[in-house]
Amino acid sequence: MSPQRLIRRIGAALLTLWVAATLNFVLFRTIPGDAVSSLRCQRCTPAFRELLRHQLGLDRPLIVQYLYYLRDLLHGDLGQSVSSHRPVTSQLLQPLLATLPMLLLGTIAALTLGVIAGSLAAWRHNTLTDRGLTLTSLVLYSMPAQWLGLMLVMYVAFTVGLPVAGLHSPSLGVLEPASWSDSLIDRVQHMVLPSATLGIILFGQFALITRSSLLSALGEDHVLTARAKGLSPLSAVFRHALPNALLPLVTITAQTFGYIVGGAVVIESVFSYPGIGLAVMDAISSRDYPTLQGAFLLLTAAVIVANLIADLLYPKLDPRVGATS
Protein backbone atom coordinates (compact mmCIF):
# COMPACT_ATOMS: atom_id res chain seq x y z
CA MET A 1 0.00 0.00 0.00
CA SER A 2 1.35 3.41 -0.96
CA PRO A 3 1.95 5.99 1.78
CA GLN A 4 -0.30 8.46 -0.08
CA ARG A 5 -3.22 6.05 0.02
CA LEU A 6 -2.63 5.35 3.72
CA ILE A 7 -2.55 9.07 4.53
CA ARG A 8 -5.75 9.67 2.53
CA ARG A 9 -7.61 6.89 4.30
CA ILE A 10 -6.49 7.97 7.77
CA GLY A 11 -7.30 11.60 6.95
CA ALA A 12 -10.78 10.63 5.74
CA ALA A 13 -11.35 8.63 8.93
CA LEU A 14 -10.28 11.56 11.11
CA LEU A 15 -12.52 13.93 9.15
CA THR A 16 -15.45 11.54 9.53
CA LEU A 17 -14.78 11.28 13.25
CA TRP A 18 -14.74 15.09 13.59
CA VAL A 19 -18.03 15.39 11.69
CA ALA A 20 -19.58 12.67 13.86
CA ALA A 21 -18.36 14.38 17.03
CA THR A 22 -19.82 17.69 15.84
CA LEU A 23 -23.18 16.13 15.00
CA ASN A 24 -23.10 14.38 18.37
CA PHE A 25 -22.58 17.74 20.07
CA VAL A 26 -25.38 19.43 18.12
CA LEU A 27 -27.84 16.55 18.58
CA PHE A 28 -27.86 16.66 22.37
CA ARG A 29 -28.22 20.45 22.41
CA THR A 30 -31.13 20.71 19.99
CA ILE A 31 -33.43 18.18 21.66
CA PRO A 32 -35.99 19.69 24.07
CA GLY A 33 -34.69 20.35 27.58
CA ASP A 34 -31.18 19.84 28.89
CA ALA A 35 -29.35 17.88 31.55
CA VAL A 36 -30.61 20.17 34.28
CA SER A 37 -34.28 20.21 33.42
CA SER A 38 -34.26 16.43 32.97
CA LEU A 39 -32.24 15.54 36.07
CA ARG A 40 -35.17 15.09 38.43
CA CYS A 41 -35.08 18.82 38.93
CA GLN A 42 -38.74 19.61 38.36
CA ARG A 43 -39.10 21.04 41.89
CA CYS A 44 -35.80 22.90 41.94
CA THR A 45 -35.87 26.63 42.47
CA PRO A 46 -34.84 28.80 39.50
CA ALA A 47 -31.70 29.88 41.38
CA PHE A 48 -30.63 26.29 42.04
CA ARG A 49 -31.34 25.33 38.44
CA GLU A 50 -29.17 28.20 37.21
CA LEU A 51 -26.41 27.11 39.57
CA LEU A 52 -26.51 23.64 38.07
CA ARG A 53 -26.44 25.06 34.56
CA HIS A 54 -23.35 27.08 35.49
CA GLN A 55 -21.60 24.04 37.01
CA LEU A 56 -22.28 22.02 33.84
CA GLY A 57 -21.22 24.89 31.58
CA LEU A 58 -24.64 25.14 29.93
CA ASP A 59 -24.83 28.91 30.44
CA ARG A 60 -21.91 29.52 28.07
CA PRO A 61 -22.42 30.50 24.42
CA LEU A 62 -22.87 27.49 22.16
CA ILE A 63 -19.63 28.09 20.25
CA VAL A 64 -17.70 28.24 23.54
CA GLN A 65 -19.30 24.98 24.66
CA TYR A 66 -18.28 23.42 21.35
CA LEU A 67 -14.65 24.54 21.66
CA TYR A 68 -14.45 23.21 25.22
CA TYR A 69 -16.06 20.00 24.00
CA LEU A 70 -13.41 19.51 21.29
CA ARG A 71 -10.63 20.36 23.73
CA ASP A 72 -11.89 17.78 26.22
CA LEU A 73 -12.20 15.15 23.49
CA LEU A 74 -8.57 15.68 22.48
CA HIS A 75 -7.64 14.95 26.09
CA GLY A 76 -9.84 11.84 26.23
CA ASP A 77 -12.41 13.53 28.47
CA LEU A 78 -16.03 12.65 27.62
CA GLY A 79 -17.48 14.79 30.40
CA GLN A 80 -19.10 13.96 33.71
CA SER A 81 -22.23 11.92 34.31
CA VAL A 82 -25.06 13.99 35.73
CA SER A 83 -26.55 11.01 37.56
CA SER A 84 -23.49 9.37 39.16
CA HIS A 85 -21.15 12.42 39.03
CA ARG A 86 -18.39 10.14 37.74
CA PRO A 87 -16.31 10.74 34.62
CA VAL A 88 -18.14 9.29 31.61
CA THR A 89 -14.95 7.61 30.38
CA SER A 90 -14.54 5.52 33.53
CA GLN A 91 -18.28 4.89 33.76
CA LEU A 92 -18.40 3.42 30.23
CA LEU A 93 -15.08 1.56 30.40
CA GLN A 94 -16.27 -1.37 32.51
CA PRO A 95 -19.47 -2.01 30.48
CA LEU A 96 -17.45 -1.72 27.26
CA LEU A 97 -14.93 -4.28 28.50
CA ALA A 98 -17.84 -6.59 29.31
CA THR A 99 -19.44 -6.19 25.88
CA LEU A 100 -16.35 -6.58 23.71
CA PRO A 101 -15.54 -10.22 24.66
CA MET A 102 -19.18 -11.19 24.16
CA LEU A 103 -19.26 -9.40 20.82
CA LEU A 104 -15.97 -10.93 19.64
CA LEU A 105 -16.96 -14.44 20.70
CA GLY A 106 -20.26 -14.28 18.83
CA THR A 107 -18.77 -12.61 15.76
CA ILE A 108 -15.81 -15.00 15.40
CA ALA A 109 -18.05 -18.06 15.77
CA ALA A 110 -20.59 -16.67 13.29
CA LEU A 111 -17.88 -15.63 10.82
CA THR A 112 -16.17 -19.02 10.89
CA LEU A 113 -19.35 -21.07 10.52
CA GLY A 114 -20.90 -18.59 8.07
CA VAL A 115 -17.93 -18.72 5.68
CA ILE A 116 -17.91 -22.52 5.81
CA ALA A 117 -21.68 -22.77 5.24
CA GLY A 118 -21.69 -20.11 2.50
CA SER A 119 -18.75 -21.74 0.71
CA LEU A 120 -20.39 -25.15 0.91
CA ALA A 121 -23.65 -23.73 -0.46
CA ALA A 122 -21.83 -22.07 -3.38
CA TRP A 123 -19.79 -25.19 -4.08
CA ARG A 124 -22.96 -27.31 -4.13
CA HIS A 125 -24.96 -24.70 -6.06
CA ASN A 126 -28.51 -25.67 -7.04
CA THR A 127 -28.41 -28.84 -4.97
CA LEU A 128 -30.38 -29.87 -1.90
CA THR A 129 -27.42 -28.84 0.26
CA ASP A 130 -27.46 -25.34 -1.23
CA ARG A 131 -31.21 -24.95 -0.77
CA GLY A 132 -31.13 -26.25 2.79
CA LEU A 133 -28.24 -23.99 3.88
CA THR A 134 -29.74 -20.94 2.15
CA LEU A 135 -33.15 -21.49 3.74
CA THR A 136 -31.59 -22.02 7.16
CA SER A 137 -29.50 -18.85 6.80
CA LEU A 138 -32.55 -16.80 5.76
CA VAL A 139 -34.57 -18.07 8.72
CA LEU A 140 -31.79 -17.35 11.23
CA TYR A 141 -31.05 -13.93 9.72
CA SER A 142 -34.70 -12.87 10.00
CA MET A 143 -35.10 -13.88 13.66
CA PRO A 144 -35.66 -10.97 16.11
CA ALA A 145 -32.83 -10.88 18.63
CA GLN A 146 -35.10 -10.54 21.66
CA TRP A 147 -37.28 -13.50 20.60
CA LEU A 148 -34.26 -15.68 19.89
CA GLY A 149 -32.75 -14.78 23.25
CA LEU A 150 -35.95 -15.75 25.07
CA MET A 151 -36.09 -19.06 23.18
CA LEU A 152 -32.52 -19.83 24.22
CA VAL A 153 -33.40 -19.05 27.83
CA MET A 154 -36.51 -21.25 27.77
CA TYR A 155 -35.22 -24.26 25.83
CA VAL A 156 -31.43 -24.22 26.17
CA ALA A 157 -30.36 -22.48 29.38
CA PHE A 158 -32.32 -24.61 31.83
CA THR A 159 -31.65 -27.82 29.91
CA VAL A 160 -27.89 -27.34 29.76
CA GLY A 161 -27.61 -25.46 33.06
CA LEU A 162 -26.23 -22.18 31.75
CA PRO A 163 -26.70 -18.88 33.65
CA VAL A 164 -29.28 -16.53 32.13
CA ALA A 165 -28.36 -13.19 33.74
CA GLY A 166 -25.45 -11.15 34.98
CA LEU A 167 -21.73 -11.27 34.41
CA HIS A 168 -20.66 -13.39 37.39
CA SER A 169 -22.34 -15.87 39.69
CA PRO A 170 -23.24 -14.19 43.01
CA SER A 171 -21.99 -17.21 44.95
CA LEU A 172 -18.56 -17.24 43.28
CA GLY A 173 -15.84 -16.51 45.85
CA VAL A 174 -18.22 -16.12 48.79
CA LEU A 175 -17.06 -19.04 50.92
CA GLU A 176 -13.47 -19.11 49.64
CA PRO A 177 -11.50 -17.09 47.10
CA ALA A 178 -12.12 -18.28 43.55
CA SER A 179 -9.18 -19.27 41.38
CA TRP A 180 -8.56 -17.52 38.08
CA SER A 181 -9.66 -20.63 36.19
CA ASP A 182 -12.97 -20.78 38.06
CA SER A 183 -13.53 -17.08 37.44
CA LEU A 184 -12.75 -17.50 33.73
CA ILE A 185 -15.07 -20.49 33.35
CA ASP A 186 -17.85 -18.64 35.17
CA ARG A 187 -17.36 -15.57 32.98
CA VAL A 188 -17.45 -17.63 29.78
CA GLN A 189 -20.60 -19.43 30.92
CA HIS A 190 -22.35 -16.10 31.40
CA MET A 191 -21.26 -15.01 27.89
CA VAL A 192 -22.44 -18.15 26.10
CA LEU A 193 -26.13 -17.30 25.67
CA PRO A 194 -25.69 -13.60 24.72
CA SER A 195 -22.88 -14.55 22.31
CA ALA A 196 -24.95 -17.38 20.87
CA THR A 197 -27.89 -15.04 20.28
CA LEU A 198 -25.66 -12.58 18.44
CA GLY A 199 -23.77 -15.33 16.61
CA ILE A 200 -26.87 -17.14 15.33
CA ILE A 201 -28.25 -13.96 13.74
CA LEU A 202 -24.88 -12.97 12.27
CA PHE A 203 -24.31 -16.52 10.98
CA GLY A 204 -27.24 -16.19 8.57
CA GLN A 205 -25.96 -12.84 7.32
CA PHE A 206 -22.39 -14.04 6.83
CA ALA A 207 -23.46 -17.28 5.14
CA LEU A 208 -25.73 -15.50 2.63
CA ILE A 209 -23.09 -12.88 1.76
CA THR A 210 -20.37 -15.53 1.36
CA ARG A 211 -22.58 -17.62 -0.91
CA SER A 212 -23.57 -14.66 -3.10
CA SER A 213 -20.01 -13.30 -3.39
CA LEU A 214 -18.54 -16.72 -4.03
CA LEU A 215 -21.00 -17.52 -6.81
CA SER A 216 -20.01 -14.27 -8.50
CA ALA A 217 -16.29 -14.97 -8.05
CA LEU A 218 -16.63 -18.50 -9.46
CA GLY A 219 -17.59 -17.00 -12.83
CA GLU A 220 -14.45 -14.87 -13.14
CA ASP A 221 -11.88 -15.66 -15.83
CA HIS A 222 -9.03 -16.77 -13.59
CA VAL A 223 -11.27 -19.30 -11.81
CA LEU A 224 -12.60 -20.65 -15.11
CA THR A 225 -9.02 -20.95 -16.37
CA ALA A 226 -8.00 -22.87 -13.26
CA ARG A 227 -10.95 -25.22 -13.74
CA ALA A 228 -10.01 -25.70 -17.41
CA LYS A 229 -6.50 -26.74 -16.35
CA GLY A 230 -7.99 -29.58 -14.32
CA LEU A 231 -8.19 -28.02 -10.86
CA SER A 232 -10.84 -29.67 -8.70
CA PRO A 233 -14.01 -27.68 -7.91
CA LEU A 234 -13.19 -27.64 -4.19
CA SER A 235 -9.69 -26.25 -4.82
CA ALA A 236 -11.10 -23.65 -7.22
CA VAL A 237 -13.51 -22.48 -4.54
CA PHE A 238 -11.07 -22.15 -1.63
CA ARG A 239 -7.81 -21.28 -3.42
CA HIS A 240 -8.96 -18.92 -6.17
CA ALA A 241 -12.54 -17.74 -5.67
CA LEU A 242 -12.85 -17.35 -1.89
CA PRO A 243 -10.11 -14.68 -1.41
CA ASN A 244 -11.84 -12.40 -3.93
CA ALA A 245 -15.23 -13.12 -2.38
CA LEU A 246 -14.10 -11.94 1.06
CA LEU A 247 -14.27 -8.20 0.23
CA PRO A 248 -18.00 -7.78 0.97
CA LEU A 249 -17.61 -10.00 4.03
CA VAL A 250 -14.84 -7.78 5.42
CA THR A 251 -17.11 -4.73 5.00
CA ILE A 252 -20.05 -6.39 6.75
CA THR A 253 -17.80 -7.61 9.57
CA ALA A 254 -16.56 -4.05 10.12
CA GLN A 255 -20.11 -2.75 10.20
CA THR A 256 -20.99 -5.44 12.75
CA PHE A 257 -19.26 -3.34 15.39
CA GLY A 258 -22.40 -1.23 15.33
CA TYR A 259 -23.89 -4.03 17.41
CA ILE A 260 -21.88 -2.71 20.37
CA VAL A 261 -24.90 -0.50 21.06
CA GLY A 262 -27.41 -1.38 18.34
CA GLY A 263 -27.80 -5.10 18.86
CA ALA A 264 -26.23 -5.18 22.31
CA VAL A 265 -29.01 -3.01 23.74
CA VAL A 266 -31.61 -5.66 22.90
CA ILE A 267 -29.48 -8.72 23.68
CA GLU A 268 -28.08 -7.37 26.94
CA SER A 269 -31.52 -6.30 28.14
CA VAL A 270 -32.84 -9.85 27.59
CA PHE A 271 -30.01 -11.43 29.59
CA SER A 272 -29.45 -8.51 32.03
CA TYR A 273 -25.85 -8.55 30.82
CA PRO A 274 -24.04 -5.50 32.28
CA GLY A 275 -22.47 -4.27 29.06
CA ILE A 276 -22.49 -1.05 27.07
CA GLY A 277 -26.02 -1.70 25.79
CA LEU A 278 -27.46 -1.96 29.28
CA ALA A 279 -25.48 1.14 30.31
CA VAL A 280 -27.12 3.07 27.46
CA MET A 281 -30.55 1.88 28.58
CA ASP A 282 -29.84 3.07 32.12
CA ALA A 283 -28.62 6.43 30.81
CA ILE A 284 -31.80 6.82 28.77
CA SER A 285 -33.94 6.04 31.82
CA SER A 286 -32.12 8.63 33.94
CA ARG A 287 -31.78 11.11 31.04
CA ASP A 288 -28.03 11.18 31.56
CA TYR A 289 -27.16 13.15 28.42
CA PRO A 290 -23.35 13.27 28.89
CA THR A 291 -23.22 9.47 29.24
CA LEU A 292 -25.42 9.01 26.17
CA GLN A 293 -23.28 11.47 24.23
CA GLY A 294 -20.12 9.62 25.23
CA ALA A 295 -21.60 6.20 24.39
CA PHE A 296 -22.76 7.32 20.94
CA LEU A 297 -19.36 8.83 20.23
CA LEU A 298 -17.60 5.61 21.26
CA LEU A 299 -19.93 3.63 19.01
CA THR A 300 -19.24 5.95 16.09
CA ALA A 301 -15.49 5.83 16.67
CA ALA A 302 -15.57 2.01 16.82
CA VAL A 303 -17.41 1.80 13.49
CA ILE A 304 -15.07 4.33 11.84
CA VAL A 305 -11.93 2.53 13.05
CA ALA A 306 -13.33 -0.87 12.03
CA ASN A 307 -14.15 0.42 8.54
CA LEU A 308 -10.69 1.99 8.26
CA ILE A 309 -9.10 -1.37 9.10
CA ALA A 310 -11.35 -3.08 6.55
CA ASP A 311 -10.46 -0.47 3.94
CA LEU A 312 -6.75 -1.03 4.54
CA LEU A 313 -7.22 -4.80 4.25
CA TYR A 314 -8.83 -4.58 0.79
CA PRO A 315 -5.54 -4.40 -1.19
CA LYS A 316 -4.23 -7.43 0.73
CA LEU A 317 -7.26 -9.48 -0.30
CA ASP A 318 -7.52 -8.15 -3.84
CA PRO A 319 -4.50 -6.21 -5.30
CA ARG A 320 -6.78 -4.76 -7.98
CA VAL A 321 -8.37 -2.51 -5.33
CA GLY A 322 -5.03 -0.94 -4.46
CA ALA A 323 -4.14 -0.50 -8.12
CA THR A 324 -7.30 1.47 -8.88
CA SER A 325 -7.31 3.69 -5.78
Side-chain angles (χ1 to χ4, degrees), residues 41 50 52 79 96 128 160 173 177 184 199 208 216 244 320 322 325:
C41 202
E50 287 301 318
L52 288 178
L96 185 63
L128 185 60
V160 181
L184 179 61
L208 292 172
S216 177
N244 292 339
R320 294 174 298 179
S325 60

Side-chain angles (χ1 to χ4, degrees), residues 49 106 202 263 309:
R49 186 176 286 113
L202 291 180
I309 294 174

Side-chain angles (χ1 to χ4, degrees), residues 165-217:
L167 191 62
H168 299 287
S169 298
S171 59
L172 185 67
V174 173
L175 299 179
E176 58 182 14
S179 63
W180 68 268
S181 58
D182 291 337
S183 299
L184 179 61
I185 293 173
D186 181 72
R187 176 72 178 272
V188 172
Q189 288 178 340
H190 281 78
M191 286 196 304
V192 167
L193 290 180
S195 298
T197 304
L198 178 66
I200 289 173
I201 296 174
L202 291 180
F203 163 80
Q205 182 181 17
F206 291 154
L208 292 172
I209 292 173
T210 301
R211 176 187 178 275
S212 176
S213 300
L214 199 52
L215 286 176
S216 177

Side-chain angles (χ1 to χ4, degrees), residues 22 25 39 64 67 95-96 111 126 130-131 170 192 220-221 250 254 264 268 310 315 317 320:
T22 302
F25 172 84
L39 185 59
V64 176
L67 294 177
L96 185 63
L111 186 61
N126 280 336
D130 178 25
R131 296 187 184 95
V192 167
E220 295 184 0
D221 293 339
V250 170
E268 291 178 0
L317 297 173
R320 294 174 298 179

Side-chain angles (χ1 to χ4, degrees), residues 116-136:
I116 294 174
S119 301
L120 183 60
W123 178 45
R124 305 290 295 172
H125 183 52
N126 280 336
T127 64
L128 185 60
T129 301
D130 178 25
R131 296 187 184 95
L133 288 173
T134 302
L135 179 60
T136 302

Side-chain angles (χ1 to χ4, degrees), residues 120-166:
L120 183 60
W123 178 45
R124 305 290 295 172
H125 183 52
N126 280 336
T127 64
L128 185 60
T129 301
D130 178 25
R131 296 187 184 95
L133 288 173
T134 302
L135 179 60
T136 302
S137 301
L138 285 171
V139 171
L140 295 179
Y141 180 51
S142 61
M143 283 185 178
Q146 63 271 28
W147 179 85
L148 179 59
L150 291 174
M151 292 301 102
L152 291 179
V153 170
M154 294 174 59
Y155 297 106
V156 176
F158 298 111
T159 303
V160 181
L162 290 172
V164 298

Side-chain angles (χ1 to χ4, degrees), residues 190-272:
H190 281 78
M191 286 196 304
V192 167
L193 290 180
S195 298
T197 304
L198 178 66
I200 289 173
I201 296 174
L202 291 180
F203 163 80
Q205 182 181 17
F206 291 154
L208 292 172
I209 292 173
T210 301
R211 176 187 178 275
S212 176
S213 300
L214 199 52
L215 286 176
S216 177
L218 285 172
E220 295 184 0
D221 293 339
H222 70 283
V223 178
L224 296 177
T225 302
R227 290 291 306 276
K229 291 181 178 180
L231 195 67
S232 67
L234 188 61
S235 298
V237 168
F238 287 99
R239 291 179 54 187
H240 294 274
L242 187 58
N244 292 339
L246 289 178
L247 291 180
L249 197 61
V250 170
T251 302
I252 295 298
T253 304
Q255 294 175 352
T256 301
F257 279 86
Y259 274 97
I260 290 177
V261 169
V265 167
V266 177
I267 295 173
E268 291 178 0
S269 62
V270 171
F271 295 99
S272 298

